[in-house]
Amino acid sequence: MNEKNNQKSESGFKGPNNRHNSGMNKKTRPLLIAGNWKMFKDHKEGFALAFALKERLADISTIQVVLCPPFTSLQAVSSAIESSAFFLGAQNVHWEKEGAFTGEISSQMLLSLGCKYVIIGHSERRLLFHESNKIVNLKLKTALREGLNPILCIGETLQEREKGKTEEIVEEQLKGAFEDLTPEDVGKIVLAYEPVWAIGTGKTATPKQANDVHLFIRRKLEERYGQEIAGNMRILYGGSVKSENAKDLLKEQEIDGALVGGASLDLDSFEKIVRSGLDL
Ligand code: PEP
């Protein structure tokens, strides 16, 4: 199995700068581009896509790339990305260590396949599978305790945005998700701001709309956890990121990467999105 992926650490990553520097400076935060494959690609298709991406992006060392295939393709993708700088991520995890939970997957199971990241609180899980902030909090705690890096998704619905409640909603989601977490734990989380109205709809938040919410989130983190944690936290944008709009989004001061759904399933598109993060 892909032991190597288990051994990669945040601090060992060759980013453009040392992300442990304090200060609210984008340059201290290595870009992270994650592909959320959702319920697409069986293990053979997953292997082929991951292997091709690894070949195409072999020259990239300053951007962290995370592939999050479905559970059944994790092993295939893990072997496809062996000897690469890519990281493996899962799309969900259960909050218990083990037990009689039919159909669920534990953190240890993911770690044993070489997973380093796990998406928690995706809006599809919140809306379609009724995951509350409490459940998100339980999952975060377990993932962190077991050694997985969570990519925590937050974001408002269209109705909430139209009612002017975006900030209230993301603040509430953050509070609920982070309950009882130590500042050290919070520092290990990657956030993804994903306005629900932009996911899979082709409607992207404008770079300014996204940047404004990211700035709000960072200020809230600073109030609660201080400048170092807030300044080092990667906040990704997600919601219809495509090769055509990626650069404009990634150029924004507060946007530290992207969580890409649909466009991560296409080799050319995902390659272009990752390359958009170069030379910003
Ligand atoms: C997602 O699934 O997290 C996502 C942002 O999807 P899409 O890029 O397709 O909008």
Side-chain angles (χ1 to χ4, degrees):
M1 204 26 58
N2 194 1
E3 299 268 304
K4 201 180 104 298
N5 269 322
N6 265 332
Q7 289 161 11
K8 287 174 202 160
S9 71
E10 293 285 6
S11 53
F13 176 70
K14 279 201 301 172
N17 276 297
N18 180 350
R19 80 181 281 263
H20 296 288
N21 286 345
S22 59
M24 311 278 272
N25 184 349
K26 178 174 173 122
K27 295 221 169 352
T28 64
R29 303 185 292 264
L31 274 187
L32 189 157
I33 312 278
N36 173 16
W37 293 3
K38 311 196 190 203
M39 199 173 72
F40 293 99
K41 307 279 179 201
D42 68 17
H43 69 286
K44 287 184 198 145
E45 295 163 332
F47 182 92
L49 177 58
F51 194 82
L53 279 169
K54 169 174 98 168
E55 305 264 285
R56 293 252 194 124
L57 293 169
D59 58 310
I60 305 280
S61 63
T62 53
I63 299 172
Q64 268 181 305
V65 177
V66 183
L67 302 182
C68 305
F71 290 136
T72 51
S73 300
L74 281 171
Q75 185 159 11
V77 172
S78 179
S79 44
I81 64 175
E82 230 167 329
S83 315
S84 79
F86 288 6
F87 292 93
L88 187 65
Q91 297 173 21
N92 188 22
V93 67
H94 195 263
W95 62 86
E96 290 292 345
K97 234 180 143 168
E98 61 183 359
F101 300 103
T102 303
E104 294 292 335
I105 303 284
S106 74
S107 294
Q108 281 306 325
M109 291 169 184
L110 299 178
L111 286 161
S112 72
L113 287 173
C115 279
K116 172 104 176 116
Y117 287 91
V118 60
I119 298 172
I120 294 180
H122 191 281
S123 62
E124 286 154 14
R125 298 232 40 104
R126 291 178 189 260
L127 295 171
L128 304 173
F129 301 97
H130 315 293
E131 282 190 13
S132 61
N133 286 330
K134 178 72 198 154
I135 289 178
V136 168
N137 174 251
L138 290 173
K139 291 184 173 192
L140 275 180
K141 282 184 192 151
T142 305
L144 287 162
R145 192 185 58 227
E146 300 296 319
L148 282 166
N149 294 300
I151 300 177
L152 169 65
C153 301
I154 55 175
E156 81 288 2
T157 62
L158 183 59
Q159 221 182 13
E160 288 160 348
R161 173 161 281 262
E162 284 172 352
K163 285 190 185 150
K165 290 174 122 190
T166 298
E167 294 186 348
E168 190 187 315
I169 295 296
V170 296
E171 190 174 359
E172 192 180 295
Q173 289 172 333
L174 275 179
K175 262 198 195 139
F178 286 177
E179 200 168 314
D180 299 330
L181 293 189
T182 63
E184 197 195 340
D185 278 343
V186 170
K188 292 178 190 151
I189 294 170
V190 174
L191 277 178
Y193 167 58
E194 298 209 309
V196 179
W197 48 272
I199 297 180
T201 57
K203 281 188 210 157
T204 321
T206 63
K208 180 169 179 338
Q209 275 175 325
N211 196 67
D212 286 351
V213 180
H214 285 218
L215 189 59
F216 171 79
I217 292 169
R218 206 177 298 285
R219 291 206 170 123
K220 288 288 147 195
L221 291 170
E222 192 184 5
E223 274 169 32
R224 198 147 166 210
Y225 301 102
Q227 205 190 25
E228 183 166 356
I229 286 176
N232 284 335
M233 171 89 64
R234 260 97 54 91
I235 309 178
L236 317 181
Y237 168 76
S240 298
V241 174
K242 307 264 178 269
S243 53
E244 297 81 17
N245 58 23
K247 199 165 199 89
D248 286 341
L249 288 158
L250 295 174
K251 271 198 291 208
E252 291 291 328
Q253 171 67 24
E254 300 301 330
I255 299 183
D256 307 313
L259 180 53
V260 186
S264 70
L265 297 167
D266 181 77
L267 179 60
D268 291 338
S269 299
F270 195 64
E271 181 193 358
K272 281 187 199 144
I273 290 170
V274 174
R275 289 195 184 282
S276 308
L278 293 171
D279 308 320
L280 292 176

